[in-house]
Amino acid sequence: MKASDYFKKTFVFVFVFSLAYRIVIQLFDGLDSFNIKFFLKTLFVSTLTALILGVLNYFFKIEFIKKSNKKKNSNNTQTTSRMTVDLLLGLQWGDEGKGKIVDVLTSKYDIIARFQGGPNAGHTLEFDGIKHVLRTIPSGIFHKNSINVIGNGVVIDPVVFQKEIEGLERFNLDIKNKLIISRKAHLILPTHRLLDAASEASKGKAKIGSTLKGIGPTYMDKTGRNGLRVGDIELEDFKDRYRALADKHEAMIKFYDVAIQYNLAELEVEFFEAIEDLKKLTFIDSEEYLHQAQKEGKSILCEGAQGSLLDVDFGTYPFVTSSNTTAAGACTGLGIAPNKIKEVYGIFKAYTTRVGSGPFPTEDFEEDGATMARVGNEFGSVTGRQRRCGWLDLVALKYAIQVNGVTQLMMMKGDVLSGFTTLKVCTEYSYKGQNIAHLPYNIEPENVTPIYKEFKGWKADLTGMTTYDELPVELKNYIDFIEKEVEVPIKIVSVGPDRKQTITK
């Protein structure tokens, strides 16, 4: 109700009440004694009284409404601030460019939290002419105002982690105060790496393309309730626990009956030296830390590794990683409740790549695929392995958007497609004699054939462009088509590796 309405209602109520009161008094005195002057005086007094009270009530209500709105807005602001937990995920088979986008977005967040994966997944950042590759440390480490959390869903190799920190020393970063680690994160032991190598070697031609970093065996120990966690380092019997698990691993390596050369004693010296360096950092109960951060109104960006199509449940199994790379992994990998998550940023390339074995429906084995690999410098940031390249697969992209509940998209490496006369986008699969637009259980080449829609390419060099209006019309048409098909807006278009080569739509 408006404040002016309160004035009207107050005036009418007081006037009617006063007038009625005077009439009743007059009736009690008798109609014979009715005095017209007295009645008019009563009418005037009633009107004046109603007017005064109405004006007072009007201003009182205005002040009341202002205070109420101010309190309401304050509550809304507090709620929004507490709810600022956003996710950033890869929507393909990894290597989408998540590190760069996290780096671009970091200034908006107080905390950057990594929620899954191990040191096989490198995030590449490039700025000020320097290329940085991070393996375990969150991508916000280069921003002085951000706290970086390694969550319980991550597996940490202390040796690799030690080298990663040493590589950052020359940048004078405050790592000790800006990097904190969950006590519940699991440790990769030297014997985990040996187990990984033995398991892959035993498969022969059926290899899944493991990076041999020990990540799979570590997650197996986690789910098998055998693993060692960061918090165990603080226990007096840590070395005894280590020895028991390492001995068990060696027995398993013998079971594989493959020739692997190693000197475990040397590997263990390196491992325990790295453990001592790890102790210098702060260990936290991360779920409690992040809960308190939300209560204090701090903003959190949850950072994933790899891509959604490598998720152990929803990826192209068994050619997947060993953790949940989708949005659900952020909840279990950090201890954040699902209803606290606001935005889900999905990152994808303007084309598609994949490392290692596994089905890849839109892979291009001709000159176009080779050109994408060469221009896009498609080699693993950690492993150095060459990536397989092909056209954008909208069937797989829509699937990943659906599984993650993506609210905004960021398209990477649009500049790599400059120079192609014709572009292709897979819109459907031919699957068992039918055209389908969803990702089926099996996308091996004998079951799936991609159906393409062609687009006119562009020749312009995008790398120097800074606004969306500058982009060629052919690229805008390409973007518009993708948005229409997936029904999610593309908010950022990357036109180069540097953080400055990022266009906001």
Side-chain angles (χ1 to χ4, degrees):
M1 186 183 295
K2 296 181 180 178
S4 57
D5 293 335
Y6 282 105
F7 167 73
K8 293 175 185 176
K9 286 196 172 187
T10 302
F11 176 84
V12 171
F13 174 78
V14 174
F15 175 76
V16 171
F17 178 81
S18 300
L19 186 60
Y21 173 76
R22 299 311 303 176
I23 290 174
V24 169
I25 295 298
Q26 185 71 54
L27 288 174
F28 272 105
D29 291 341
L31 290 175
D32 295 337
S33 62
F34 181 79
N35 188 324
I36 187 64
K37 291 183 179 180
F38 178 77
F39 179 79
L40 290 175
K41 183 191 293 185
T42 299
L43 183 63
F44 173 76
V45 171
S46 299
T47 303
L48 185 62
T49 303
L51 184 64
I52 293 170
L53 290 176
V55 169
L56 290 174
N57 197 37
Y58 172 76
F59 285 107
F60 171 77
K61 288 298 178 184
I62 281 209
E63 188 65 25
F64 175 77
I65 289 169
K66 283 181 180 178
K67 289 181 178 179
S68 296
N69 287 339
K70 186 175 180 181
K71 184 177 180 181
K72 184 177 179 182
N73 291 335
S74 175
N75 289 337
N76 287 340
T77 302
Q78 288 180 342
T79 301
T80 302
S81 182
R82 284 199 299 268
M83 294 295 288
T84 308
V85 180
D86 299 334
L87 310 187
L88 188 138
L89 309 160
L91 299 180
Q92 294 161 312
W93 281 288
D95 309 307
E96 298 93 350
K98 295 178 291 296
K100 172 185 172 175
I101 294 299
V102 173
D103 179 57
V104 169
L105 296 176
T106 294
S107 60
K108 301 178 182 179
Y109 296 92
D110 301 305
I111 298 170
I112 310 298
R114 169 89 176 264
F115 64 82
Q116 54 77 222
N120 63 331
H123 284 174
T124 302
L125 298 79
E126 190 169 322
F127 51 88
D128 299 331
I130 303 174
K131 183 178 180 180
H132 309 269
V133 178
L134 299 175
R135 300 189 180 192
T136 308
I137 297 174
S139 303
I141 196 65
F142 293 102
H143 290 259
K144 63 180 181 180
N145 296 322
S146 297
I147 297 295
N148 295 265
V149 177
I150 298 176
N152 59 276
V154 179
V155 291
I156 301 172
D157 185 328
V159 176
V160 174
F161 191 70
Q162 180 188 45
K163 293 176 180 177
E164 189 174 351
I165 289 178
E166 289 173 353
L168 295 174
E169 287 179 352
R170 63 192 178 105
F171 300 108
N172 297 317
L173 304 174
D174 188 10
I175 291 177
K176 189 171 182 180
N177 292 314
K178 295 298 181 182
L179 180 63
I180 52 183
I181 305 171
S182 172
R183 288 186 174 89
K184 291 185 173 69
H186 278 248
L187 295 170
I188 300 175
L189 278 53
T191 46
H192 281 132
R193 297 200 302 271
L194 299 175
L195 267 175
D196 206 354
S199 174
E200 191 77 346
S202 69
K203 293 173 183 174
K205 294 182 179 180
K207 295 178 181 179
I208 64 171
S210 171
T211 57
L212 307 180
K213 302 293 183 182
I215 294 165
T218 304
Y219 276 113
M220 289 173 68
D221 272 341
K222 176 179 180 176
T223 56
R225 295 164 293 178
N226 297 310
L228 291 178
R229 303 188 289 181
V230 168
D232 295 330
I233 296 173
E234 299 172 314
L235 303 178
E236 292 183 2
D237 65 343
F238 173 67
K239 288 192 175 181
D240 294 334
R241 292 173 181 238
Y242 168 85
R243 184 79 273 141
L245 186 54
D247 289 346
K248 180 180 179 179
H249 289 166
E250 284 204 274
M252 293 171 67
I253 291 169
K254 292 177 183 177
F255 171 79
Y256 282 111
D257 194 26
V258 292
I260 293 181
Q261 301 297 321
Y262 63 91
N263 185 327
L264 184 56
E266 289 183 4
L267 294 175
E268 288 180 340
V269 169
E270 186 180 40
F271 175 80
F272 283 106
E273 286 178 354
I275 287 291
E276 291 304 310
D277 278 348
L278 192 61
K279 287 180 179 179
K280 297 175 183 177
L281 297 176
T282 301
F283 301 158
I284 60 168
D285 298 321
S286 53
E287 63 281 3
E288 175 63 18
Y289 176 88
L290 294 172
H291 176 70
Q292 291 300 326
Q294 291 173 73
K295 288 181 68 176
E296 294 168 10
K298 293 183 179 178
S299 54
I300 303 168
L301 181 64
C302 309
E303 172 188 27
Q306 292 127 338
S308 298
L309 298 179
L310 292 174
D311 185 272
V312 68
D313 285 300
F314 296 103
T316 50
Y317 191 89
F319 302 97
V320 294
T321 191
S322 302
S323 58
N324 289 114
T325 60
T326 48
C331 299
T332 58
L334 292 171
I336 290 177
N339 64 344
K340 301 299 183 184
I341 295 169
K342 184 179 178 184
E343 297 289 345
V344 180
Y345 303 117
I347 315 300
F348 73 102
K349 282 178 182 171
Y351 51 101
T352 310
T353 63
R354 177 164 200 169
V355 169
S357 306
F360 183 178
T362 62
E363 184 173 10
D364 189 282
F365 298 96
E366 306 300 329
E367 182 60 28
D368 286 339
T371 300
M372 292 175 196
R374 183 182 70 256
V375 177
N377 191 28
E378 295 295 356
F379 297 91
S381 56
V382 171
T383 63
R385 294 186 296 175
Q386 183 172 347
R387 299 172 186 145
R388 301 150 61 192
C389 297
W391 299 108
L392 181 63
D393 187 339
L394 277 187
V395 178
L397 183 61
K398 284 192 284 188
Y399 170 78
I401 289 171
Q402 171 188 321
V403 169
N404 289 298
V406 172
T407 59
Q408 297 183 35
L409 289 169
M410 285 94 173
M411 189 177 83
M412 312 301 290
K413 291 198 169 183
D415 54 297
V416 174
L417 295 184
S418 292
F420 284 91
T421 303
T422 302
L423 305 178
K424 295 180 181 180
V425 175
C426 172
T427 57
E428 292 181 307
Y429 293 155
S430 175
Y431 177 75
K432 295 183 179 181
Q434 295 182 358
N435 289 358
I436 63 172
H438 70 275
L439 199 74
Y441 177 76
N442 190 311
I443 60 169
E444 295 290 347
E446 63 267 21
N447 296 313
V448 163
T449 301
I451 299 172
Y452 291 106
K453 180 178 176 63
E454 294 189 350
F455 291 83
K456 183 181 177 181
W458 58 88
K459 301 292 183 182
D461 180 0
L462 310 181
T463 55
M465 297 181 182
T466 56
T467 67
Y468 190 77
D469 290 338
E470 293 178 77
L471 298 179
V473 65
E474 294 85 359
L475 174 54
K476 291 179 182 177
N477 290 339
Y478 187 75
I479 292 170
D480 288 344
F481 177 78
I482 295 170
E483 288 182 323
K484 182 179 178 182
E485 287 293 305
V486 303
E487 299 179 332
V488 177
I490 296 173
K491 294 292 189 179
I492 287 178
V493 179
S494 175
V495 294
D498 195 277
R499 63 163 64 141
K500 296 178 182 177
Q501 294 173 304
T502 307
I503 294 175
T504 302
K505 186 180 172 187

